[in-house]
Amino acid sequence: ARARITKAGGECLTFDKLALRSPLGKGTVLLRGPVKAREAERYFGRAPGVPGSHTKQRVRSKGRKFEKARGKRASRGYKA
């Protein structure tokens, strides 16, 4: 993000340098990173397997026997 900001003519400051330059914060924009970017956020939401859900399953292992059989995949008979 820093490269894109400086390329567009802006500049990045640490919070203490910003406070020295502009104590009231006039003419400044504070940016934060994406809040929902954590790996744990993938598991929240509608239940996995529900139509329209993009929630990741909590699976013990990624092997052949673990939640890949009938009822989970259309290619294995049917999908519930």
Side-chain angles (χ1 to χ4, degrees):
R2 182 186 302 270
R4 291 201 311 267
I5 291 169
T6 53
K7 185 178 178 184
E11 64 177 322
C12 298
L13 298 173
T14 56
F15 205 70
D16 54 340
K17 289 181 181 173
L18 174 66
L20 290 173
R21 184 185 291 190
S22 174
L24 299 179
K26 290 184 178 175
T28 61
V29 178
L30 298 181
L31 299 177
R32 290 176 61 190
V35 179
K36 300 275 188 177
R38 298 187 316 145
E39 172 70 20
E41 294 285 341
R42 293 171 180 245
Y43 296 95
F44 303 150
R46 298 184 65 190
V50 174
S53 166
H54 298 287
T55 308
K56 197 172 183 180
Q57 296 177 339
R58 284 195 164 86
V59 181
R60 184 176 50 162
S61 255
K62 288 210 48 155
R64 166 186 63 83
K65 298 184 288 187
F66 301 98
E67 302 199 20
K68 292 187 188 283
R70 295 174 67 238
K72 286 288 183 185
R73 306 177 64 83
S75 62
R76 302 290 185 269
Y78 73 98
K79 179 165 178 6

PDB file of all heavy atoms in Angstrom, residues 7-46:
ATOM      1  N   LYS A   7       3.468   6.598  -5.006  1.00  0.00           N
ATOM      2  CA  LYS A   7       3.430   6.745  -6.459  1.00  0.00           C
ATOM      3  C   LYS A   7       2.365   7.756  -6.886  1.00  0.00           C
ATOM      4  O   LYS A   7       2.529   8.480  -7.861  1.00  0.00           O
ATOM      5  CB  LYS A   7       3.138   5.389  -7.107  1.00  0.00           C
ATOM      6  CG  LYS A   7       3.197   5.400  -8.614  1.00  0.00           C
ATOM      7  CD  LYS A   7       2.945   4.009  -9.175  1.00  0.00           C
ATOM      8  CE  LYS A   7       2.949   4.031 -10.689  1.00  0.00           C
ATOM      9  NZ  LYS A   7       2.605   2.712 -11.247  1.00  0.00           N
ATOM     10  N   ALA A   8       1.270   7.821  -6.107  1.00  0.00           N
ATOM     11  CA  ALA A   8       0.195   8.766  -6.414  1.00  0.00           C
ATOM     12  C   ALA A   8       0.467  10.164  -5.877  1.00  0.00           C
ATOM     13  O   ALA A   8      -0.373  11.049  -6.011  1.00  0.00           O
ATOM     14  CB  ALA A   8      -1.115   8.244  -5.848  1.00  0.00           C
ATOM     15  N   GLY A   9       1.643  10.363  -5.262  1.00  0.00           N
ATOM     16  CA  GLY A   9       1.987  11.702  -4.779  1.00  0.00           C
ATOM     17  C   GLY A   9       1.705  11.917  -3.300  1.00  0.00           C
ATOM     18  O   GLY A   9       1.911  13.024  -2.795  1.00  0.00           O
ATOM     19  N   GLY A  10       1.283  10.891  -2.592  1.00  0.00           N
ATOM     20  CA  GLY A  10       1.037  11.027  -1.158  1.00  0.00           C
ATOM     21  C   GLY A  10       2.264  10.635  -0.376  1.00  0.00           C
ATOM     22  O   GLY A  10       3.325  10.357  -0.925  1.00  0.00           O
ATOM     23  N   GLU A  11       2.125  10.624   0.945  1.00  0.00           N
ATOM     24  CA  GLU A  11       3.230  10.168   1.777  1.00  0.00           C
ATOM     25  C   GLU A  11       2.691   9.436   2.993  1.00  0.00           C
ATOM     26  O   GLU A  11       1.566   9.672   3.427  1.00  0.00           O
ATOM     27  CB  GLU A  11       4.118  11.323   2.213  1.00  0.00           C
ATOM     28  CG  GLU A  11       3.453  12.342   3.098  1.00  0.00           C
ATOM     29  CD  GLU A  11       4.427  13.416   3.541  1.00  0.00           C
ATOM     30  OE1 GLU A  11       5.585  13.081   3.812  1.00  0.00           O
ATOM     31  OE2 GLU A  11       4.009  14.570   3.600  1.00  0.00           O
ATOM     32  N   CYS A  12       3.507   8.536   3.520  1.00  0.00           N
ATOM     33  CA  CYS A  12       3.130   7.743   4.682  1.00  0.00           C
ATOM     34  C   CYS A  12       3.931   8.223   5.882  1.00  0.00           C
ATOM     35  O   CYS A  12       5.143   8.376   5.802  1.00  0.00           O
ATOM     36  CB  CYS A  12       3.411   6.268   4.434  1.00  0.00           C
ATOM     37  SG  CYS A  12       2.465   5.590   3.065  1.00  0.00           S
ATOM     38  N   LEU A  13       3.242   8.466   6.981  1.00  0.00           N
ATOM     39  CA  LEU A  13       3.887   8.914   8.209  1.00  0.00           C
ATOM     40  C   LEU A  13       3.514   7.977   9.341  1.00  0.00           C
ATOM     41  O   LEU A  13       2.427   7.387   9.347  1.00  0.00           O
ATOM     42  CB  LEU A  13       3.400  10.322   8.593  1.00  0.00           C
ATOM     43  CG  LEU A  13       3.682  11.464   7.638  1.00  0.00           C
ATOM     44  CD1 LEU A  13       2.966  12.712   8.112  1.00  0.00           C
ATOM     45  CD2 LEU A  13       5.164  11.719   7.559  1.00  0.00           C
ATOM     46  N   THR A  14       4.412   7.877  10.320  1.00  0.00           N
ATOM     47  CA  THR A  14       4.032   7.175  11.543  1.00  0.00           C
ATOM     48  C   THR A  14       3.135   8.102  12.347  1.00  0.00           C
ATOM     49  O   THR A  14       3.088   9.316  12.117  1.00  0.00           O
ATOM     50  CB  THR A  14       5.269   6.791  12.364  1.00  0.00           C
ATOM     51  OG1 THR A  14       6.016   7.962  12.640  1.00  0.00           O
ATOM     52  CG2 THR A  14       6.125   5.782  11.615  1.00  0.00           C
ATOM     53  N   PHE A  15       2.426   7.529  13.305  1.00  0.00           N
ATOM     54  CA  PHE A  15       1.427   8.304  14.036  1.00  0.00           C
ATOM     55  C   PHE A  15       2.070   9.413  14.859  1.00  0.00           C
ATOM     56  O   PHE A  15       1.520  10.510  14.972  1.00  0.00           O
ATOM     57  CB  PHE A  15       0.624   7.361  14.936  1.00  0.00           C
ATOM     58  CG  PHE A  15      -0.735   7.874  15.259  1.00  0.00           C
ATOM     59  CD1 PHE A  15      -1.714   7.938  14.286  1.00  0.00           C
ATOM     60  CD2 PHE A  15      -1.032   8.308  16.528  1.00  0.00           C
ATOM     61  CE1 PHE A  15      -2.981   8.411  14.570  1.00  0.00           C
ATOM     62  CE2 PHE A  15      -2.303   8.780  16.834  1.00  0.00           C
ATOM     63  CZ  PHE A  15      -3.266   8.834  15.853  1.00  0.00           C
ATOM     64  N   ASP A  16       3.268   9.180  15.408  1.00  0.00           N
ATOM     65  CA  ASP A  16       3.918  10.223  16.206  1.00  0.00           C
ATOM     66  C   ASP A  16       4.409  11.373  15.325  1.00  0.00           C
ATOM     67  O   ASP A  16       4.309  12.538  15.711  1.00  0.00           O
ATOM     68  CB  ASP A  16       5.066   9.635  17.027  1.00  0.00           C
ATOM     69  CG  ASP A  16       6.064   8.866  16.177  1.00  0.00           C
ATOM     70  OD1 ASP A  16       5.698   8.458  15.066  1.00  0.00           O
ATOM     71  OD2 ASP A  16       7.209   8.670  16.633  1.00  0.00           O
ATOM     72  N   LYS A  17       4.892  11.080  14.126  1.00  0.00           N
ATOM     73  CA  LYS A  17       5.318  12.158  13.215  1.00  0.00           C
ATOM     74  C   LYS A  17       4.121  12.953  12.717  1.00  0.00           C
ATOM     75  O   LYS A  17       4.213  14.168  12.527  1.00  0.00           O
ATOM     76  CB  LYS A  17       6.085  11.572  12.038  1.00  0.00           C
ATOM     77  CG  LYS A  17       7.450  11.044  12.430  1.00  0.00           C
ATOM     78  CD  LYS A  17       8.187  10.502  11.237  1.00  0.00           C
ATOM     79  CE  LYS A  17       9.533   9.955  11.671  1.00  0.00           C
ATOM     80  NZ  LYS A  17      10.235   9.275  10.585  1.00  0.00           N
ATOM     81  N   LEU A  18       3.007  12.274  12.506  1.00  0.00           N
ATOM     82  CA  LEU A  18       1.784  12.978  12.103  1.00  0.00           C
ATOM     83  C   LEU A  18       1.323  13.936  13.196  1.00  0.00           C
ATOM     84  O   LEU A  18       0.911  15.061  12.921  1.00  0.00           O
ATOM     85  CB  LEU A  18       0.680  11.969  11.795  1.00  0.00           C
ATOM     86  CG  LEU A  18      -0.697  12.530  11.489  1.00  0.00           C
ATOM     87  CD1 LEU A  18      -0.676  13.308  10.190  1.00  0.00           C
ATOM     88  CD2 LEU A  18      -1.731  11.442  11.417  1.00  0.00           C
ATOM     89  N   ALA A  19       1.420  13.514  14.452  1.00  0.00           N
ATOM     90  CA  ALA A  19       1.001  14.361  15.570  1.00  0.00           C
ATOM     91  C   ALA A  19       1.868  15.603  15.684  1.00  0.00           C
ATOM     92  O   ALA A  19       1.375  16.685  16.033  1.00  0.00           O
ATOM     93  CB  ALA A  19       1.052  13.561  16.865  1.00  0.00           C
ATOM     94  N   LEU A  20       3.154  15.478  15.381  1.00  0.00           N
ATOM     95  CA  LEU A  20       4.034  16.653  15.422  1.00  0.00           C
ATOM     96  C   LEU A  20       3.723  17.619  14.285  1.00  0.00           C
ATOM     97  O   LEU A  20       3.702  18.833  14.468  1.00  0.00           O
ATOM     98  CB  LEU A  20       5.498  16.208  15.328  1.00  0.00           C
ATOM     99  CG  LEU A  20       6.064  15.478  16.537  1.00  0.00           C
ATOM    100  CD1 LEU A  20       7.448  14.944  16.230  1.00  0.00           C
ATOM    101  CD2 LEU A  20       6.109  16.407  17.743  1.00  0.00           C
ATOM    102  N   ARG A  21       3.460  17.082  13.109  1.00  0.00           N
ATOM    103  CA  ARG A  21       3.244  17.931  11.934  1.00  0.00           C
ATOM    104  C   ARG A  21       1.864  18.577  11.943  1.00  0.00           C
ATOM    105  O   ARG A  21       1.720  19.746  11.600  1.00  0.00           O
ATOM    106  CB  ARG A  21       3.403  17.093  10.669  1.00  0.00           C
ATOM    107  CG  ARG A  21       3.291  17.949   9.409  1.00  0.00           C
ATOM    108  CD  ARG A  21       3.320  17.118   8.160  1.00  0.00           C
ATOM    109  NE  ARG A  21       4.649  16.537   7.964  1.00  0.00           N
ATOM    110  CZ  ARG A  21       5.003  15.926   6.836  1.00  0.00           C
ATOM    111  NH1 ARG A  21       4.139  15.814   5.865  1.00  0.00           N
ATOM    112  NH2 ARG A  21       6.196  15.415   6.708  1.00  0.00           N
ATOM    113  N   SER A  22       0.847  17.812  12.290  1.00  0.00           N
ATOM    114  CA  SER A  22      -0.520  18.313  12.242  1.00  0.00           C
ATOM    115  C   SER A  22      -1.268  17.843  13.491  1.00  0.00           C
ATOM    116  O   SER A  22      -1.939  16.822  13.454  1.00  0.00           O
ATOM    117  CB  SER A  22      -1.196  17.792  10.973  1.00  0.00           C
ATOM    118  OG  SER A  22      -2.552  18.130  10.964  1.00  0.00           O
ATOM    119  N   PRO A  23      -1.155  18.581  14.604  1.00  0.00           N
ATOM    120  CA  PRO A  23      -1.738  18.122  15.872  1.00  0.00           C
ATOM    121  C   PRO A  23      -3.249  17.915  15.810  1.00  0.00           C
ATOM    122  O   PRO A  23      -3.775  17.038  16.493  1.00  0.00           O
ATOM    123  CB  PRO A  23      -1.386  19.238  16.854  1.00  0.00           C
ATOM    124  CG  PRO A  23      -0.241  19.943  16.244  1.00  0.00           C
ATOM    125  CD  PRO A  23      -0.407  19.826  14.761  1.00  0.00           C
ATOM    126  N   LEU A  24      -3.958  18.696  15.011  1.00  0.00           N
ATOM    127  CA  LEU A  24      -5.405  18.549  14.920  1.00  0.00           C
ATOM    128  C   LEU A  24      -5.821  17.569  13.834  1.00  0.00           C
ATOM    129  O   LEU A  24      -6.997  17.231  13.723  1.00  0.00           O
ATOM    130  CB  LEU A  24      -6.062  19.907  14.668  1.00  0.00           C
ATOM    131  CG  LEU A  24      -5.845  20.959  15.760  1.00  0.00           C
ATOM    132  CD1 LEU A  24      -6.520  22.262  15.385  1.00  0.00           C
ATOM    133  CD2 LEU A  24      -6.404  20.454  17.086  1.00  0.00           C
ATOM    134  N   GLY A  25      -4.878  17.148  12.995  1.00  0.00           N
ATOM    135  CA  GLY A  25      -5.181  16.169  11.962  1.00  0.00           C
ATOM    136  C   GLY A  25      -5.880  16.742  10.746  1.00  0.00           C
ATOM    137  O   GLY A  25      -6.524  16.017  10.001  1.00  0.00           O
ATOM    138  N   LYS A  26      -5.768  18.056  10.533  1.00  0.00           N
ATOM    139  CA  LYS A  26      -6.430  18.659   9.376  1.00  0.00           C
ATOM    140  C   LYS A  26      -5.694  18.277   8.095  1.00  0.00           C
ATOM    141  O   LYS A  26      -4.471  18.286   8.032  1.00  0.00           O
ATOM    142  CB  LYS A  26      -6.477  20.181   9.513  1.00  0.00           C
ATOM    143  CG  LYS A  26      -7.422  20.635  10.596  1.00  0.00           C
ATOM    144  CD  LYS A  26      -7.530  22.132  10.657  1.00  0.00           C
ATOM    145  CE  LYS A  26      -8.539  22.541  11.722  1.00  0.00           C
ATOM    146  NZ  LYS A  26      -8.595  23.989  11.888  1.00  0.00           N
ATOM    147  N   GLY A  27      -6.470  17.925   7.054  1.00  0.00           N
ATOM    148  CA  GLY A  27      -5.885  17.576   5.764  1.00  0.00           C
ATOM    149  C   GLY A  27      -5.207  16.211   5.764  1.00  0.00           C
ATOM    150  O   GLY A  27      -4.334  15.966   4.944  1.00  0.00           O
ATOM    151  N   THR A  28      -5.575  15.356   6.695  1.00  0.00           N
ATOM    152  CA  THR A  28      -4.963  14.027   6.740  1.00  0.00           C
ATOM    153  C   THR A  28      -6.038  12.953   6.583  1.00  0.00           C
ATOM    154  O   THR A  28      -7.207  13.176   6.869  1.00  0.00           O
ATOM    155  CB  THR A  28      -4.251  13.800   8.088  1.00  0.00           C
ATOM    156  OG1 THR A  28      -5.217  13.886   9.136  1.00  0.00           O
ATOM    157  CG2 THR A  28      -3.178  14.827   8.328  1.00  0.00           C
ATOM    158  N   VAL A  29      -5.608  11.796   6.107  1.00  0.00           N
ATOM    159  CA  VAL A  29      -6.486  10.636   5.976  1.00  0.00           C
ATOM    160  C   VAL A  29      -5.792   9.473   6.662  1.00  0.00           C
ATOM    161  O   VAL A  29      -4.657   9.143   6.333  1.00  0.00           O
ATOM    162  CB  VAL A  29      -6.753  10.286   4.494  1.00  0.00           C
ATOM    163  CG1 VAL A  29      -7.614   9.051   4.389  1.00  0.00           C
ATOM    164  CG2 VAL A  29      -7.412  11.447   3.788  1.00  0.00           C
ATOM    165  N   LEU A  30      -6.466   8.863   7.634  1.00  0.00           N
ATOM    166  CA  LEU A  30      -5.906   7.706   8.323  1.00  0.00           C
ATOM    167  C   LEU A  30      -6.417   6.438   7.653  1.00  0.00           C
ATOM    168  O   LEU A  30      -7.611   6.281   7.435  1.00  0.00           O
ATOM    169  CB  LEU A  30      -6.319   7.712   9.797  1.00  0.00           C
ATOM    170  CG  LEU A  30      -5.845   8.899  10.624  1.00  0.00           C
ATOM    171  CD1 LEU A  30      -6.323   8.746  12.053  1.00  0.00           C
ATOM    172  CD2 LEU A  30      -4.345   9.016  10.574  1.00  0.00           C
ATOM    173  N   LEU A  31      -5.502   5.546   7.320  1.00  0.00           N
ATOM    174  CA  LEU A  31      -5.859   4.297   6.659  1.00  0.00           C
ATOM    175  C   LEU A  31      -5.545   3.130   7.572  1.00  0.00           C
ATOM    176  O   LEU A  31      -4.550   3.140   8.296  1.00  0.00           O
ATOM    177  CB  LEU A  31      -5.062   4.136   5.353  1.00  0.00           C
ATOM    178  CG  LEU A  31      -5.289   5.205   4.294  1.00  0.00           C
ATOM    179  CD1 LEU A  31      -4.380   4.950   3.119  1.00  0.00           C
ATOM    180  CD2 LEU A  31      -6.723   5.223   3.854  1.00  0.00           C
ATOM    181  N   ARG A  32      -6.409   2.122   7.545  1.00  0.00           N
ATOM    182  CA  ARG A  32      -6.166   0.893   8.274  1.00  0.00           C
ATOM    183  C   ARG A  32      -6.237  -0.272   7.307  1.00  0.00           C
ATOM    184  O   ARG A  32      -6.911  -0.200   6.290  1.00  0.00           O
ATOM    185  CB  ARG A  32      -7.229   0.684   9.361  1.00  0.00           C
ATOM    186  CG  ARG A  32      -7.121   1.655  10.492  1.00  0.00           C
ATOM    187  CD  ARG A  32      -8.252   1.450  11.465  1.00  0.00           C
ATOM    188  NE  ARG A  32      -8.220   0.108  12.038  1.00  0.00           N
ATOM    189  CZ  ARG A  32      -9.196  -0.399  12.767  1.00  0.00           C
ATOM    190  NH1 ARG A  32     -10.288   0.306  12.986  1.00  0.00           N
ATOM    191  NH2 ARG A  32      -9.099  -1.603  13.263  1.00  0.00           N
ATOM    192  N   GLY A  33      -5.584  -1.356   7.652  1.00  0.00           N
ATOM    193  CA  GLY A  33      -5.626  -2.554   6.834  1.00  0.00           C
ATOM    194  C   GLY A  33      -6.978  -3.229   6.936  1.00  0.00           C
ATOM    195  O   GLY A  33      -7.820  -2.867   7.759  1.00  0.00           O
ATOM    196  N   PRO A  34      -7.224  -4.234   6.101  1.00  0.00           N
ATOM    197  CA  PRO A  34      -8.501  -4.941   6.133  1.00  0.00           C
ATOM    198  C   PRO A  34      -8.695  -5.683   7.456  1.00  0.00           C
ATOM    199  O   PRO A  34      -7.834  -6.460   7.869  1.00  0.00           O
ATOM    200  CB  PRO A  34      -8.427  -5.911   4.953  1.00  0.00           C
ATOM    201  CG  PRO A  34      -6.994  -5.990   4.606  1.00  0.00           C
ATOM    202  CD  PRO A  34      -6.337  -4.735   5.051  1.00  0.00           C
ATOM    203  N   VAL A  35      -9.822  -5.430   8.114  1.00  0.00           N
ATOM    204  CA  VAL A  35     -10.093  -6.001   9.429  1.00  0.00           C
ATOM    205  C   VAL A  35     -10.445  -7.480   9.310  1.00  0.00           C
ATOM    206  O   VAL A  35     -10.106  -8.286  10.176  1.00  0.00           O
ATOM    207  CB  VAL A  35     -11.246  -5.225  10.113  1.00  0.00           C
ATOM    208  CG1 VAL A  35     -11.569  -5.820  11.464  1.00  0.00           C
ATOM    209  CG2 VAL A  35     -10.874  -3.765  10.270  1.00  0.00           C
ATOM    210  N   LYS A  36     -11.117  -7.867   8.235  1.00  0.00           N
ATOM    211  CA  LYS A  36     -11.598  -9.238   8.079  1.00  0.00           C
ATOM    212  C   LYS A  36     -10.596 -10.129   7.345  1.00  0.00           C
ATOM    213  O   LYS A  36     -10.978 -11.146   6.780  1.00  0.00           O
ATOM    214  CB  LYS A  36     -12.914  -9.241   7.302  1.00  0.00           C
ATOM    215  CG  LYS A  36     -14.018  -8.465   7.972  1.00  0.00           C
ATOM    216  CD  LYS A  36     -14.718  -9.322   8.979  1.00  0.00           C
ATOM    217  CE  LYS A  36     -15.949  -8.612   9.500  1.00  0.00           C
ATOM    218  NZ  LYS A  36     -16.683  -9.446  10.425  1.00  0.00           N
ATOM    219  N   ALA A  37      -9.336  -9.771   7.326  1.00  0.00           N
ATOM    220  CA  ALA A  37      -8.355 -10.537   6.564  1.00  0.00           C
ATOM    221  C   ALA A  37      -7.775 -11.706   7.348  1.00  0.00           C
ATOM    222  O   ALA A  37      -6.972 -12.457   6.811  1.00  0.00           O
ATOM    223  CB  ALA A  37      -7.218  -9.628   6.108  1.00  0.00           C
ATOM    224  N   ARG A  38      -8.180 -11.883   8.603  1.00  0.00           N
ATOM    225  CA  ARG A  38      -7.633 -12.980   9.404  1.00  0.00           C
ATOM    226  C   ARG A  38      -8.073 -14.331   8.846  1.00  0.00           C
ATOM    227  O   ARG A  38      -9.152 -14.458   8.289  1.00  0.00           O
ATOM    228  CB  ARG A  38      -8.133 -12.885  10.858  1.00  0.00           C
ATOM    229  CG  ARG A  38      -7.722 -11.660  11.568  1.00  0.00           C
ATOM    230  CD  ARG A  38      -8.100 -11.730  13.043  1.00  0.00           C
ATOM    231  NE  ARG A  38      -9.440 -12.240  13.259  1.00  0.00           N
ATOM    232  CZ  ARG A  38      -9.784 -13.002  14.295  1.00  0.00           C
ATOM    233  NH1 ARG A  38      -8.906 -13.342  15.193  1.00  0.00           N
ATOM    234  NH2 ARG A  38     -11.031 -13.422  14.457  1.00  0.00           N
ATOM    235  N   GLU A  39      -7.246 -15.329   9.016  1.00  0.00           N
ATOM    236  CA  GLU A  39      -7.579 -16.680   8.579  1.00  0.00           C
ATOM    237  C   GLU A  39      -8.819 -17.189   9.309  1.00  0.00           C
ATOM    238  O   GLU A  39      -9.644 -17.904   8.733  1.00  0.00           O
ATOM    239  CB  GLU A  39      -6.389 -17.605   8.863  1.00  0.00           C
ATOM    240  CG  GLU A  39      -6.652 -19.081   8.650  1.00  0.00           C
ATOM    241  CD  GLU A  39      -6.824 -19.480   7.199  1.00  0.00           C
ATOM    242  OE1 GLU A  39      -6.387 -18.730   6.307  1.00  0.00           O
ATOM    243  OE2 GLU A  39      -7.416 -20.552   6.961  1.00  0.00           O
ATOM    244  N   ALA A  40      -8.990 -16.801  10.574  1.00  0.00           N
ATOM    245  CA  ALA A  40     -10.121 -17.279  11.377  1.00  0.00           C
ATOM    246  C   ALA A  40     -11.456 -16.793  10.817  1.00  0.00           C
ATOM    247  O   ALA A  40     -12.484 -17.450  11.009  1.00  0.00           O
ATOM    248  CB  ALA A  40      -9.971 -16.811  12.815  1.00  0.00           C
ATOM    249  N   GLU A  41     -11.475 -15.669  10.119  1.00  0.00           N
ATOM    250  CA  GLU A  41     -12.726 -15.122   9.588  1.00  0.00           C
ATOM    251  C   GLU A  41     -13.340 -16.030   8.525  1.00  0.00           C
ATOM    252  O   GLU A  41     -14.534 -15.945   8.251  1.00  0.00           O
ATOM    253  CB  GLU A  41     -12.501 -13.735   8.976  1.00  0.00           C
ATOM    254  CG  GLU A  41     -12.116 -12.667   9.973  1.00  0.00           C
ATOM    255  CD  GLU A  41     -13.276 -12.197  10.833  1.00  0.00           C
ATOM    256  OE1 GLU A  41     -14.438 -12.413  10.440  1.00  0.00           O
ATOM    257  OE2 GLU A  41     -13.016 -11.628  11.891  1.00  0.00           O
ATOM    258  N   ARG A  42     -12.541 -16.899   7.909  1.00  0.00           N
ATOM    259  CA  ARG A  42     -13.064 -17.804   6.883  1.00  0.00           C
ATOM    260  C   ARG A  42     -14.060 -18.800   7.460  1.00  0.00           C
ATOM    261  O   ARG A  42     -14.889 -19.338   6.740  1.00  0.00           O
ATOM    262  CB  ARG A  42     -11.922 -18.590   6.237  1.00  0.00           C
ATOM    263  CG  ARG A  42     -10.983 -17.746   5.441  1.00  0.00           C
ATOM    264  CD  ARG A  42      -9.787 -18.584   5.026  1.00  0.00           C
ATOM    265  NE  ARG A  42      -8.856 -17.788   4.254  1.00  0.00           N
ATOM    266  CZ  ARG A  42      -8.582 -18.020   2.981  1.00  0.00           C
ATOM    267  NH1 ARG A  42      -9.169 -19.010   2.354  1.00  0.00           N
ATOM    268  NH2 ARG A  42      -7.735 -17.267   2.343  1.00  0.00           N
ATOM    269  N   TYR A  43     -13.948 -19.072   8.761  1.00  0.00           N
ATOM    270  CA  TYR A  43     -14.797 -20.078   9.385  1.00  0.00           C
ATOM    271  C   TYR A  43     -16.099 -19.499   9.919  1.00  0.00           C
ATOM    272  O   TYR A  43     -16.956 -20.238  10.370  1.00  0.00           O
ATOM    273  CB  TYR A  43     -14.047 -20.762  10.535  1.00  0.00           C
ATOM    274  CG  TYR A  43     -12.834 -21.525  10.078  1.00  0.00           C
ATOM    275  CD1 TYR A  43     -11.578 -20.949  10.112  1.00  0.00           C
ATOM    276  CD2 TYR A  43     -12.957 -22.816   9.600  1.00  0.00           C
ATOM    277  CE1 TYR A  43     -10.463 -21.652   9.690  1.00  0.00           C
ATOM    278  CE2 TYR A  43     -11.856 -23.530   9.172  1.00  0.00           C
ATOM    279  CZ  TYR A  43     -10.610 -22.936   9.222  1.00  0.00           C
ATOM    280  OH  TYR A  43      -9.519 -23.639   8.795  1.00  0.00           O
ATOM    281  N   PHE A  44     -16.266 -18.177   9.915  1.00  0.00           N
ATOM    282  CA  PHE A  44     -17.463 -17.543  10.449  1.00  0.00           C
ATOM    283  C   PHE A  44     -18.493 -17.360   9.350  1.00  0.00           C
ATOM    284  O   PHE A  44     -18.156 -17.246   8.183  1.00  0.00           O
ATOM    285  CB  PHE A  44     -17.130 -16.173  11.063  1.00  0.00           C
ATOM    286  CG  PHE A  44     -16.101 -16.228  12.149  1.00  0.00           C
ATOM    287  CD1 PHE A  44     -15.264 -15.157  12.373  1.00  0.00           C
ATOM    288  CD2 PHE A  44     -15.970 -17.346  12.954  1.00  0.00           C
ATOM    289  CE1 PHE A  44     -14.321 -15.196  13.385  1.00  0.00           C
ATOM    290  CE2 PHE A  44     -15.030 -17.398  13.961  1.00  0.00           C
ATOM    291  CZ  PHE A  44     -14.207 -16.321  14.171  1.00  0.00           C
ATOM    292  N   GLY A  45     -19.763 -17.284   9.721  1.00  0.00           N
ATOM    293  CA  GLY A  45     -20.821 -17.050   8.749  1.00  0.00           C
ATOM    294  C   GLY A  45     -21.808 -18.211   8.730  1.00  0.00           C
ATOM    295  O   GLY A  45     -21.941 -18.958   9.693  1.00  0.00           O
ATOM    296  N   ARG A  46     -22.516 -18.342   7.612  1.00  0.00           N
ATOM    297  CA  ARG A  46     -23.495 -19.426   7.471  1.00  0.00           C
ATOM    298  C   ARG A  46     -22.784 -20.764   7.533  1.00  0.00           C
ATOM    299  O   ARG A  46     -21.612 -20.882   7.217  1.00  0.00           O
ATOM    300  CB  ARG A  46     -24.225 -19.282   6.154  1.00  0.00           C
ATOM    301  CG  ARG A  46     -25.006 -17.981   6.045  1.00  0.00           C
ATOM    302  CD  ARG A  46     -25.788 -17.915   4.770  1.00  0.00           C
ATOM    303  NE  ARG A  46     -26.817 -18.955   4.746  1.00  0.00           N
ATOM    304  CZ  ARG A  46     -27.536 -19.270   3.693  1.00  0.00           C
ATOM    305  NH1 ARG A  46     -27.354 -18.638   2.559  1.00  0.00           N
ATOM    306  NH2 ARG A  46     -28.451 -20.203   3.742  1.00  0.00           N
TER     307      ARG A  46
END
